[in-house]
């Protein structure tokens, strides 16, 4: 089957869409945005040497996983000609302040290196938790008749999953066999573990006006998440191996009772934005 005409058709379609769209995007006024965010997350674990020794580990590194989500933004755009007295043809065309509420997947991937029975071993653990609720505020600077925006978001994310899914494998299958399962966070751990992380998220967006009240929103984002859970939760198989190693080294440690204050599961997110902007009411101008 010949599929070559499809890319040409798609190129013509999007070129027509961009050329036929109105020259200017929304000016000042209230705007609501519905975005879908698709991308990846790179875990950046951080832990002190003393806490690594408590876990009988020699090192800890991160991995990359897939994440997706969506968010709702509501905010106001001010025209710079009115707000700052700039000329109408100035490239800096507007500023906006938005409040956002989102829901997404969460991911944490770690490689834990250790010595097991005198031999080195790497244990790979991927944990997926859903949902993660985010709240925050975004400031945006608009350029070129509000067709392009550069934004910076600050906010918090709350992990709401008490039974995250995991997959685990290792470099020594005799010590740790590959498995998938669920980490059950009991009531005691629920009251101890910190579920809140903070984020900063720069983004760039380009809008394509579709009508007087609707725009197509395309863009990309980066985000840094700062998260200190205070306690560590492990699959049973890893917990069993860890307990054996700790007993052999004379280490007394209870994951449910003893906090790891230096342990951070930070992450770096990246991806694309696809959404729709809607004007709420008429422009005041």
């Amino acid at each position: 089957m010949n599929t070559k005409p499809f890319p040409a058709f798609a190129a013509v379609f999007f070129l027509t869409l961009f050329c036929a769209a109105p020259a200017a995007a929304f000016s000042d006024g209230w705007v609501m945005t519905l975005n879908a965010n698709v991308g990846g997350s790179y875990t950046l674990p951080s832990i002190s040497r003393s806490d690594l020794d408590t876990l009988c580990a020699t090192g800890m590194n991160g991995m990359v996983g897939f994440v997706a989500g969506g968010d709702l933004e509501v905010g106001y755009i001010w025209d710079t000609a009115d707000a700052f007295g700039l000329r109408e043809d100035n490239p800096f065309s507007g500023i906006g302040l938005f409040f956002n509420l989102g829901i997404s997947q969460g991911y944490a991937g770690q490689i834990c290196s250790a010595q097991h029975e005198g031999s080195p071993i790497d244990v790979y653990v991927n944990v997926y938790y859903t949902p993660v609720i985010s709240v925050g505020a975004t400031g945006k600077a608009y350029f070129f008749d509000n067709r392009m925006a550069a934004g910076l978001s600050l906010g918090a994310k709350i992990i709401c999953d008490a039974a995250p899914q995991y997959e685990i494998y290792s470099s020594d299958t005799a010590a740790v066999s590959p498995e998938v399962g669920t980490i059950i966070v009991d009531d005691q751990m629920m009251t101890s573990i910190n579920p809140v992380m903070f984020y900063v998220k720069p983004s760039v967006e380009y809008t394509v006006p579709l009508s007087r009240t609707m725009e197509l929103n395309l863009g990309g984002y980066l985000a840094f998440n700062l998260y200190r859970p205070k306690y560590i939760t492990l699959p049973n198989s890893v917990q069993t191996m860890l307990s054996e190693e700790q007993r052999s080294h004379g280490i007394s440690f209870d994951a449910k009772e003893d906090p790891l204050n230096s342990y951070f599961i930070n992450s770096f997110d990246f991806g694309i934005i696809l959404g729709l902007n809607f004007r709420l009411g008429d422009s005041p101008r």
Side-chain angles (χ1 to χ4, degrees):
M1 182 176 62
N2 184 9
T3 59
K4 291 183 178 180
F6 178 75
F9 170 79
V12 171
F13 173 78
F14 283 105
L15 182 61
T16 303
L17 177 64
F18 276 70
C19 293
F26 295 161
S27 56
D28 48 347
W30 288 96
V31 175
M32 180 180 73
T33 299
L34 294 173
N35 283 328
N37 307 309
V38 180
S41 180
Y42 175 52
T43 306
L44 299 167
S46 175
I47 190 170
S48 69
R49 181 72 257 175
S50 61
D51 281 343
L52 268 180
D53 292 340
T54 298
L55 298 176
C56 299
T58 58
M60 191 176 290
N61 296 292
M63 295 192 291
V64 178
F66 171 82
V67 291
D71 58 69
L72 167 68
E73 290 185 342
V74 177
Y76 194 90
I77 300 175
W78 290 269
D79 187 273
T80 55
D82 291 338
F84 305 114
L86 300 182
R87 294 170 48 185
E88 293 284 351
D89 59 352
N90 193 296
F92 178 34
S93 55
I95 58 173
L97 178 62
F98 292 80
F99 296 94
N100 54 278
L101 175 66
I103 183 170
S104 65
Q105 298 171 309
Y107 168 80
Q110 298 180 74
I111 307 170
C112 186
S113 301
Q115 291 286 327
H116 179 64
E117 296 180 351
S119 300
I121 182 174
D122 291 324
V123 179
Y124 304 82
V125 181
N126 292 309
V127 180
Y128 307 90
Y129 37 90
T130 304
V132 178
I133 305 298
S134 63
V135 292
T138 303
K140 296 184 181 183
Y142 289 87
F143 304 92
F144 311 116
D145 291 325
N146 292 6
R147 294 292 293 269
M148 182 171 289
L152 181 66
S153 302
L154 299 173
K157 297 180 180 180
I158 304 172
I159 301 172
C160 302
D161 192 352
Q165 305 295 310
Y166 73 88
E167 58 184 27
I168 183 172
Y169 53 98
S170 73
S171 58
D172 184 356
T173 56
V176 179
S177 301
E179 67 178 50
V180 295
T182 302
I183 300 176
I184 302 299
V185 182
D186 59 29
D187 292 340
Q188 179 183 353
M189 294 297 288
M190 286 284 288
T191 58
S192 300
I193 294 178
N194 170 35
V196 180
M197 69 179 74
F198 298 96
Y199 71 87
V200 55
K201 177 182 176 183
S203 61
V204 176
E205 300 171 355
Y206 183 81
T207 60
V208 180
L210 302 177
S211 69
R212 192 179 65 86
T213 59
M214 184 170 67
E215 297 174 333
L216 178 65
N217 190 41
L218 305 170
Y221 69 90
L222 302 172
F224 177 76
N225 304 300
L226 180 67
Y227 180 46
R228 188 182 73 152
K230 293 179 64 177
Y231 292 83
I232 189 169
T233 55
L234 299 169
N236 289 334
S237 57
V238 178
Q239 181 64 62
T240 300
M241 184 182 73
L242 174 61
S243 298
E244 293 174 353
E245 289 293 323
Q246 288 173 329
R247 280 195 297 269
S248 67
H249 288 81
I251 298 174
S252 176
F253 175 77
D254 187 337
K256 294 184 178 182
E257 299 288 345
D258 301 326
L260 294 173
N261 292 318
S262 73
Y263 181 46
F264 285 79
I265 314 177
N266 303 325
S267 58
F268 179 71
D269 297 346
F270 52 90
I272 61 173
I273 301 169
L274 176 62
L276 292 172
N277 301 332
F278 301 92
R279 178 183 292 283
L280 302 178
D282 295 328
S283 171
R285 299 209 307 159

